[in-house]
Amino acid sequence: MMPPEEENLGGPRKGDRTGGLVLLPGPKSGSARKGCDPFAQTQRSKLQHRRARINQQINKEMRMRAGAENLFRATSNHKVKETVALELSYVNSNLQLLKEELEELNSSVDIYQNDSESISVPMIPLGLKETKELDLLVPLKDFISEHYGEEGVLFEKEIKEFMELRQAMRTPSRNEAGLELLMEYYNQLHFLDSRFFPPTKPLGVFFHWYDSLTGVPSHQRALAFEKGSVLFNLGALLTQIGARQARAALPGLNQAIDAFQRAAGAFNYLKENFSNAPSLDMSAPSLDMLVRLMVAQVQECVFEKMTLLRAQNDFLARLQLAQEAAKVEDVYSLVHQTMTQPHVKDYVPFSWTTMVHVKSEHFKALSHYFAAIALCDCPVASESELPEQEKAFMQFHLTMPEGPSLRVLLQDPEERRKLGKAHLKKAIMKHEEAMRIHGLCKILRKMDILQEVLSFAHKRSLSKYSEIDHEEDFFETGDAPDIHPKTHQKPEIKPPNFSQVKVTDLFHRLGPLSVFSAKNKWYPARRVHLMRGENGFGFTLRGDSPVLIAGVIPGGCAAAAGLKEGDYIVSVSGRDCRWAKHAEVVQLLKSCGADGVDVAVITLHGSEAPRAVDKKAAGMSSGMLKSNKENSRKSLMNSKSPSTLLVWSKKSKRSKKSTYSGVPFTAVGDNEAMY
């Protein structure tokens, strides 16, 4: 498999490719999948409607600002400049208010959470990118008439079916069916690309999408922009599915882990395979931030999973929980650094940055809390358990704690209590820092569930500290060293598996893509009348769908009728043969009577030159007629490669049929048949 190539979202389209999808060219009907009811009054749909309204208002204000700026630069009238400057100030003020409203919308993470009564730390989901309706009826009909020489009106059903699929994918349901709908549309864009987007001429259609984070509209003619936006929504929908899982039990945790890992894979795939994105949410720094955020949320779910699986009073289990919490703190610290970079912090919602910072401090506090619990609540190790505990504790801290030797520390309850007290002191400090940062964000202050989680963890640490604090303690509590981050389940970035959704070429009636595609050009179909001579028709056929005339015998019936090497047979006796197998075409030719047979053929541009005869053996009296054009129907292999839809291979299988009639076998190529 070839490595994936980038799709340029801001520049010219790259060449067509065909990859490892299950792309079916058969005549079956298209998708039966539908999106959500756009008028359903769910919390999520109301949020999306508000997003769409804000996007439209931002679009309007930006157009007004562009017009005012042009007028300000063009005019030399002082009064006009003052009026325009005042208008620009008003427009910029409106844009700032709309930006704040959209940021508040992006911060409404509680709407996407699970409705169960169990208390879990909220996860950060993404809203879907909005797009405008797209009318493809006239452009595709015109292209079919101009490029394919067919009546465009005959393909109205297929065009409307594609438009209905696009309309449905704008409102996908928040489950596996919604994901399949987005992937089906994404896969269907492969056929649209191959059929209607030539490499040298734009179709004249603009794809409009709004930035998920800023609401700023973008539009491009490049189909790569459409594909990239759909792929972004695939990742965004996965974040919503992950956030809604009930994480108080293992099934919900496993589903959340899977959803966030797949979301990370979608954003990472978008970052690696698309370039020059016109919107900020699809820029490389933004996608890098989103990948890291998803990985951090996976790590958080792994920690929650460990709390359910580990024994309550086991010393080693408590150490592992402390290290898992330290790992969550480590990855959230990295996300916070990414969110505060100059090119990212201006458009990432402040509530996201604050929540990530809060989680970083919160899980650092938890790591120290579980370290204290391991030291203070778990029984002292026996002689048989001591070597294993020593080994684990040697790798537990980033720096070894001051005081007695490790063996003494683990066997002396008082030394354990002292170190545990130091860890609890640090835990309480970090809990208070998390609550302080939480209080700085107005939006997070409204989030009751997060407040409950932080408050509960803080009170728990305070209670434990009071429990182990003795009045006769005259020693000064030392500073506990930080805990070495370690995880027992490393997050996996799962790229999209496009092959899991089978799609059917809606425009299969135009013919096999190996020939009838936007990148190929051909002369109008020629209709010839063939008569069978003593030695047959006098041509060599090869392959199928469509069948290729690989060679024409000079002086034969085919040559006299005007057939040429490199012609493709598109009909025999009025029957469409573009999708016909080799044997079917042969049978139609053989069934002709004394009156002969009518054959329609096309010739691709650039294939008119006669092929050279390949002389492989000296002294061979008859040459081998071989065409270098492979023309069998594309059979796309079912592959789980992440590069399935960006790396489209042009390889196709040669027909293995080899029949002959009336001529020596040596005059016919290995994969050809003479008639």
Side-chain angles (χ1 to χ4, degrees):
M1 177 82 55
M2 296 168 62
E5 292 184 7
E6 279 193 346
E7 291 234 14
N8 193 326
L9 300 187
R13 253 181 11 93
K14 292 197 174 182
D16 296 334
R17 305 212 175 259
T18 320
L21 288 175
V22 182
L23 306 179
L24 304 179
K28 295 181 181 179
S29 61
S31 171
R33 297 189 178 98
K34 303 296 179 186
C36 291
D37 179 5
F39 301 105
Q41 294 300 301
T42 64
Q43 291 280 19
R44 176 170 164 262
S45 66
K46 288 178 182 177
L47 204 66
Q48 206 65 28
H49 287 157
R50 282 181 61 196
R51 181 187 298 276
R53 177 183 59 79
I54 293 171
N55 285 337
Q56 291 169 4
Q57 289 177 316
I58 289 175
N59 188 21
K60 177 183 175 183
E61 295 291 340
M62 289 192 69
R63 288 163 62 187
M64 289 177 61
R65 185 171 72 176
E69 287 174 342
N70 289 337
L71 179 58
F72 187 85
R73 286 191 293 266
T75 186
S76 57
N77 188 301
H78 184 66
K79 284 191 174 181
V80 172
K81 275 186 176 291
E82 284 186 351
T83 305
V84 173
L86 185 63
E87 181 66 22
L88 273 172
S89 175
Y90 176 73
V91 170
N92 286 330
S93 176
N94 281 348
L95 278 171
Q96 182 61 32
L97 290 173
L98 289 169
K99 180 184 176 184
E100 291 174 2
E101 189 176 351
L102 184 62
E103 181 179 339
E104 185 175 350
L105 227 62
N106 285 326
S107 303
S108 303
V109 300
D110 51 325
I111 290 177
Y112 296 99
Q113 308 302 314
N114 184 265
D115 295 330
S116 67
E117 296 181 359
S118 61
I119 298 177
S120 299
V121 182
M123 296 293 185
I124 298 178
L126 274 77
L128 301 180
K129 288 172 71 73
E130 289 284 336
T131 180
K132 290 184 178 180
E133 289 189 14
L134 184 64
D135 189 355
L136 291 168
L137 192 61
V138 173
L140 294 192
K141 282 168 60 177
D142 290 347
F143 190 86
I144 289 171
S145 300
E146 177 188 338
H147 186 79
Y148 291 94
E150 303 272 0
E151 290 290 335
V153 70
L154 299 177
F155 290 85
E156 281 190 1
K157 179 184 175 183
E158 287 88 342
I159 298 172
K160 288 179 179 178
E161 193 170 341
F162 179 84
M163 290 168 59
E164 287 172 4
L165 178 62
R166 188 181 191 275
Q167 183 67 18
M169 72 87 198
R170 295 175 66 187
T171 56
S173 55
R174 197 163 35 139
N175 52 29
E176 198 64 34
L179 297 173
E180 290 180 359
L181 176 62
L182 287 171
M183 293 188 81
E184 178 179 356
Y185 179 70
Y186 184 85
N187 291 353
Q188 196 64 244
L189 289 174
H190 156 65
F191 288 118
L192 193 76
D193 192 16
S194 300
R195 296 285 190 192
F196 300 107
F197 285 80
T200 56
K201 178 184 176 183
L203 186 62
V205 174
F206 283 93
F207 299 98
H208 295 259
W209 287 86
Y210 293 93
D211 192 297
S212 174
L213 300 176
T214 65
V216 175
S218 300
H219 64 272
Q220 282 196 353
R221 290 178 176 177
L223 191 66
F225 182 41
E226 177 89 345
K227 289 191 284 186
S229 299
V230 174
L231 191 56
F232 183 95
N233 274 0
L234 181 70
L237 188 60
L238 281 163
T239 68
Q240 296 180 15
I241 292 173
R244 74 176 300 189
Q245 300 304 319
R247 307 198 313 274
L250 280 179
L253 276 170
N254 288 329
Q255 289 171 6
I257 289 172
D258 180 65
F260 288 130
Q261 287 183 152
R262 291 165 65 187
F267 295 132
N268 192 60
Y269 187 77
L270 184 58
K271 182 185 72 171
E272 291 180 349
N273 294 285
F274 290 79
S275 61
N276 298 330
S279 58
L280 288 171
D281 56 354
M282 292 164 62
S283 65
S286 176
L287 292 172
D288 188 51
M289 178 271 294
L290 291 175
V291 171
R292 291 179 177 180
L293 175 61
M294 294 306 113
V295 168
Q297 297 192 145
V298 172
Q299 199 70 65
E300 183 177 348
C301 292
V302 170
F303 167 78
E304 293 174 341
K305 185 177 178 180
M306 292 300 106
T307 60
L308 293 178
L309 295 176
R310 297 302 180 190
Q312 295 296 315
N313 292 320
D314 183 72
F315 179 77
L316 294 178
R318 291 300 180 184
L319 293 187
Q320 289 173 356
L321 273 179
Q323 289 187 305
E324 287 284 358
K327 183 64 179 179
V328 179
E329 180 267 330
D330 188 52
V331 291
Y332 270 121
S333 294
L334 181 61
V335 177
H336 185 253
Q337 290 174 20
T338 310
M339 284 184 170
T340 52
Q341 287 177 351
H343 297 296
V344 179
K345 67 178 181 180
D346 293 335
Y347 55 87
V348 172
F350 177 66
S351 60
W352 286 16
T353 309
T354 307
M355 182 181 283
V356 165
H357 196 184
V358 166
K359 286 191 175 188
S360 174
E361 298 294 335
H362 173 68
F363 281 99
K364 187 161 190 175
L366 289 183
S367 69
H368 286 283
Y369 170 78
F370 283 111
I373 292 298
L375 290 164
C376 298
D377 285 6
C378 297
V380 175
S382 63
E383 287 296 332
S384 60
E385 296 172 332
L386 192 58
E388 187 179 6
Q389 291 193 4
E390 278 188 289
K391 182 180 177 182
F393 211 72
M394 283 181 66
Q395 303 171 355
F396 182 68
H397 292 102
L398 289 175
T399 58
M400 287 301 295
E402 297 178 359
S405 67
L406 197 57
R407 181 172 286 267
V408 172
L409 173 64
L410 291 174
Q411 289 187 310
D412 186 345
E414 183 61 19
E415 291 297 333
R416 288 170 66 128
R417 185 180 72 86
K418 287 182 180 179
L419 183 57
K421 190 176 178 182
H423 277 296
L424 276 174
K425 179 183 176 183
K426 201 159 191 176
I428 292 168
M429 291 172 58
K430 290 299 174 182
H431 281 310
E432 290 172 351
E433 179 65 8
M435 289 173 22
R436 185 192 69 81
I437 297 168
H438 171 266
L440 296 176
C441 181
K442 180 179 70 174
I443 294 172
L444 291 189
R445 287 201 301 269
K446 298 177 183 177
M447 204 175 296
D448 295 336
I449 189 168
L450 183 58
Q451 179 69 45
E452 283 183 48
V453 170
L454 297 177
S455 179
F456 171 78
H458 181 234
K459 289 177 181 177
R460 184 176 61 177
S461 294
L462 281 173
S463 174
K464 192 64 186 175
Y465 188 86
S466 299
E467 180 186 323
I468 67 170
D469 186 30
H470 296 167
E471 289 184 5
E472 60 272 17
D473 284 347
F474 295 107
F475 61 86
E476 183 178 348
T477 305
D479 186 26
D482 284 334
I483 294 155
H484 178 67
K486 185 179 178 182
T487 182
H488 291 76
Q489 183 179 336
K490 188 177 179 181
E492 179 185 355
I493 296 177
K494 294 184 177 180
N497 179 12
F498 301 110
S499 63
Q500 72 183 31
V501 179
K502 298 181 180 180
V503 296
T504 301
D505 182 6
L506 294 175
F507 299 94
H508 68 275
R509 290 195 293 129
L510 290 172
L513 273 171
S514 57
V515 174
F516 301 96
S517 65
K519 68 181 179 181
N520 289 333
K521 292 184 179 180
W522 52 89
Y523 295 102
R526 309 191 315 277
R527 286 173 172 77
V528 299
H529 186 75
L530 278 178
M531 301 293 294
R532 184 194 293 272
E534 292 183 4
N535 293 324
F537 292 111
F539 54 45
T540 304
L541 301 182
R542 191 180 69 200
D544 39 29
S545 303
V547 173
L548 173 73
I549 298 178
V552 176
I553 303 299
C557 298
L563 293 181
K564 302 175 184 177
E565 179 185 349
D567 286 345
Y568 288 95
I569 297 177
V570 294
S571 74
V572 177
S573 298
R575 178 176 170 180
D576 191 336
C577 293
R578 284 174 292 188
W579 281 108
K581 294 282 190 179
H582 185 101
E584 295 174 33
V585 173
V586 171
Q587 187 60 38
L588 287 172
L589 290 171
K590 286 183 176 180
S591 62
C592 73
D595 295 335
V597 61
D598 291 322
V599 177
V601 296
I602 62 165
T603 305
L604 292 181
H605 284 203
S607 64
E608 308 88 352
R611 308 296 198 270
V613 177
D614 184 10
K615 298 179 181 179
K616 289 188 176 180
M620 182 178 288
S621 59
S622 57
M624 303 274 289
L625 296 175
K626 287 193 175 181
S627 168
N628 62 1
K629 183 173 291 295
E630 295 183 4
N631 61 322
S632 61
R633 185 190 328 204
K634 290 187 178 180
S635 176
L636 302 178
M637 302 304 294
N638 186 355
S639 167
K640 293 186 178 180
S641 165
S643 59
T644 46
L645 215 59
L646 297 183
V647 183
W648 289 317
S649 167
K650 297 190 178 92
K651 292 182 180 177
S652 56
K653 298 179 181 177
R654 288 176 178 246
S655 172
K656 302 244 175 157
K657 301 176 180 64
S658 179
T659 32
Y660 64 96
S661 173
V663 294
F665 181 75
T666 53
V668 183
D670 292 339
N671 296 322
E672 301 165 2
M674 177 68 76
Y675 302 97

